Amino acid sequence: MQSSPPPNAAGPLPAFQLSGRHDIDDPIPGIDDAARFHEGWEARIFALMRTAVADGLITTDEFRHTVERLPAESYHGMTYFERWLHAVQQLCLEKGHISAADLAAGHARAAAHAHAHPSPAAASFAPRPEAGVQVPPVEERFAVGARVRLEDGPGAHHRMPAWARGLTGVVTCVRGHFPLPDLVVDRRGAAGMHWRYALYSVQVPATDAFEDADPRDVLALDAYDPYLQEAAR
Amino acid sequence: MTTPAGKRQELTTRVAALENALTAAGKVATADIDDTVDLYTNRLGPRLGAAMVARAWCDDDYRRALLADATGVLREEDLGDAARGNKGLPFLHLVVVENTPAVHNVVVCTLCSCYPLALLGAPPRWYKSDAYRARAVREPRAVLAEFGVRLEAGTSVRVWDSTADCRYMVLPQRPPGTEGLTVDELAALVTVDSLIGTRRRL
């Protein structure tokens, strides 16, 4: 693993890092809104994305990373499911599942209200087997109770939220061993999908993250081993 | 929460175009997409989590197992119709966190919108909003107040940011005066907000 960028590195936060934003102060919208989808296309792109993941066309990390690559004006200019449509389409083109010509043909048929024909898809109802792939043993560098410093992950798609960057927390449990999102989006074979890293639950006093927080409160996140550095006692 | 008709038509066509391209290329099957829509709109939902909560209130061994290893418990649950064709379920790593008089738990995903989809179905609109994602960690008590939650003096708030592979569900406290109710009657009291932590009393 290469060294991580320094926490709280200079530069504006990407659009998806909302948690450090003091300028987003709107009331929570739709508290009493029970509907999960408000228009037919929303349910359709939601199901298309879930199907593409289940069939192994894309991974959730690749999908998130594609949303994260949106410039701020696009990110905030799109509704939630518009981001989904953008990301699934972009990713299917980038990964060569479809070509621009396929999409144009699909558009012509959609505009003419022609129906797509079902075709068989690979079923994947269980975690993928790892047989034959050489992977290093998982190292758990930290034990429950360890004090750790939270840093950005080593890749372009890491899962360290803005609120926690650079803070010190305490490991409260080991969640298990999982692929590192930073590597999954790199699509470098075994290193991406098959190498496993320890995932820890880490807790931070809320006042360490936000000055005005209630001193009784605690913020918790899950962080992968490469995101953590040993912190002084 | 609807888009203007012209925009809606454009988005509908774009989604259909993408679906057409993927099915024509043999990458996905329309029948699978149809089934996935049905799964998330009809077969999954908060009632599955509510049933687990109600059982935990009545069966202390089950409650302890759920808090120790919810994923393990979930693998043994009979989810019936909800399990059929549920390709996400084998990948769901569930963590259940328990409310007590001293602790109130709230779940958020500040980076995107992680949620125990394969159990509870799609999340509510507010859960995915920029406002909830930005504010739930910064000022959880103010957010809870908007949902009408009033915390007892001395109760601490624990916010769980779903940043990685685990998905969180809150085990709310059993309401007082429900001793005579059956498990099914108890489950009917449990709301989706209480499973996310934006409701405290049932």
Side-chain angles (χ1 to χ4, degrees), chain A residues 21 36 39 80 119 125 222 224, chain B residues 3 29 90 113 122 138 163 165:
Chain A
R21 297 273 297 264
R36 296 300 188 257
E39 294 170 7
Y80 178 80
S119 59
F125 277 72
D222 291 333
Y224 301 90
Chain B
T3 40
S113 52
R138 196 182 83 223
T163 52
D165 301 78

Side-chain angles (χ1 to χ4, degrees), chain A residues 96-171:
Chain A
H97 295 312
I98 54 170
S99 66
D102 292 336
L103 198 56
H107 198 279
R109 280 197 294 142
H113 299 285
H115 292 287
H117 297 287
S119 59
S124 58
F125 277 72
R128 292 174 189 80
E130 295 179 34
V133 178
Q134 295 292 316
V135 296
V138 176
E139 187 189 5
E140 289 181 9
R141 290 189 297 147
F142 305 99
V144 170
R147 284 176 58 78
V148 291
R149 186 176 159 85
L150 297 156
E151 299 189 351
D152 284 351
H157 169 61
H158 63 76
R159 298 284 296 170
M160 180 56 62
W163 69 261
R165 294 167 91 201
L167 298 182
T168 295
V170 174
V171 172

Side-chain angles (χ1 to χ4, degrees), chain A residues 36 46 50 64 80, chain B residues 40 45-46 92-94 107-109 112-124 126-128 162 164-169 191-193 195-196:
Chain A
R36 296 300 188 257
F46 175 87
R50 304 303 329 165
R64 289 181 186 132
Y80 178 80
Chain B
Y40 285 98
L92 175 60
H93 292 273
L94 187 68
V107 180
V108 64
C109 172
C112 44
S113 52
C114 295
Y115 185 79
L117 293 175
L119 181 69
L120 303 185
W126 58 260
Y127 184 82
K128 306 176 289 188
S162 315
D165 301 78
C166 299
R167 301 292 175 265
Y168 288 85
M169 186 171 86
T191 65
V192 68
D193 290 359
L195 299 175
I196 303 173

Side-chain angles (χ1 to χ4, degrees), chain A residues 42-233:
Chain A
E42 295 182 339
R44 207 69 194 166
I45 190 60
F46 175 87
L48 184 55
M49 182 275 181
R50 304 303 329 165
T51 306
V53 170
D55 289 350
L57 298 182
I58 62 175
T59 65
T60 306
D61 282 306
E62 290 172 330
F63 169 78
R64 289 181 186 132
H65 181 48
T66 309
V67 172
E68 291 166 9
R69 284 185 278 150
L70 281 167
E73 58 271 28
S74 303
Y75 189 91
H76 292 296
M78 292 180 184
T79 61
Y80 178 80
F81 284 115
E82 278 182 83
R83 293 175 197 155
W84 280 51
L85 169 58
H86 161 82
V88 176
Q89 178 175 311
Q90 176 84 7
L91 208 41
C92 286
L93 288 168
E94 285 178 9
K95 296 188 78 177
H97 295 312
I98 54 170
S99 66
D102 292 336
L103 198 56
H107 198 279
R109 280 197 294 142
H113 299 285
H115 292 287
H117 297 287
S119 59
S124 58
F125 277 72
R128 292 174 189 80
E130 295 179 34
V133 178
Q134 295 292 316
V135 296
V138 176
E139 187 189 5
E140 289 181 9
R141 290 189 297 147
F142 305 99
V144 170
R147 284 176 58 78
V148 291
R149 186 176 159 85
L150 297 156
E151 299 189 351
D152 284 351
H157 169 61
H158 63 76
R159 298 284 296 170
M160 180 56 62
W163 69 261
R165 294 167 91 201
L167 298 182
T168 295
V170 174
V171 172
T172 57
C173 82
V174 181
R175 294 288 188 209
H177 300 156
F178 297 95
L180 191 67
D182 310 53
L183 293 180
V184 171
V185 301
D186 274 1
R187 299 170 203 157
R188 289 189 296 208
M193 283 312 292
H194 297 292
W195 289 19
R196 292 290 190 271
Y197 294 81
L199 180 67
Y200 307 90
S201 178
V202 179
Q203 295 192 2
V204 176
T207 46
D208 287 2
F210 300 100
E211 278 179 11
D212 299 339
D214 190 297
R216 289 168 291 195
D217 297 349
V218 170
L219 304 179
L221 78 163
D222 291 333
Y224 301 90
D225 194 282
Y227 298 7
L228 305 182
Q229 297 298 329
E230 192 176 344
R233 289 231 155 245

Side-chain angles (χ1 to χ4, degrees), chain B residues 49-67:
Chain B
M52 294 168 76
V53 165
R55 190 173 160 200
W57 286 340
C58 299
D59 177 345
D60 211 42
D61 288 341
Y62 180 82
R63 178 185 144 271
R64 276 194 292 268
L66 209 53
L67 296 173

Side-chain angles (χ1 to χ4, degrees), chain A residues 2-63:
Chain A
Q2 304 302 305
S3 63
S4 305
N8 301 318
L13 283 172
F16 68 92
Q17 286 278 13
L18 294 175
S19 65
R21 297 273 297 264
H22 287 265
D23 56 331
I24 297 180
D25 212 21
D26 306 316
I28 309 299
I31 283 178
D32 297 319
D33 184 355
R36 296 300 188 257
F37 305 105
H38 296 80
E39 294 170 7
W41 69 272
E42 295 182 339
R44 207 69 194 166
I45 190 60
F46 175 87
L48 184 55
M49 182 275 181
R50 304 303 329 165
T51 306
V53 170
D55 289 350
L57 298 182
I58 62 175
T59 65
T60 306
D61 282 306
E62 290 172 330
F63 169 78

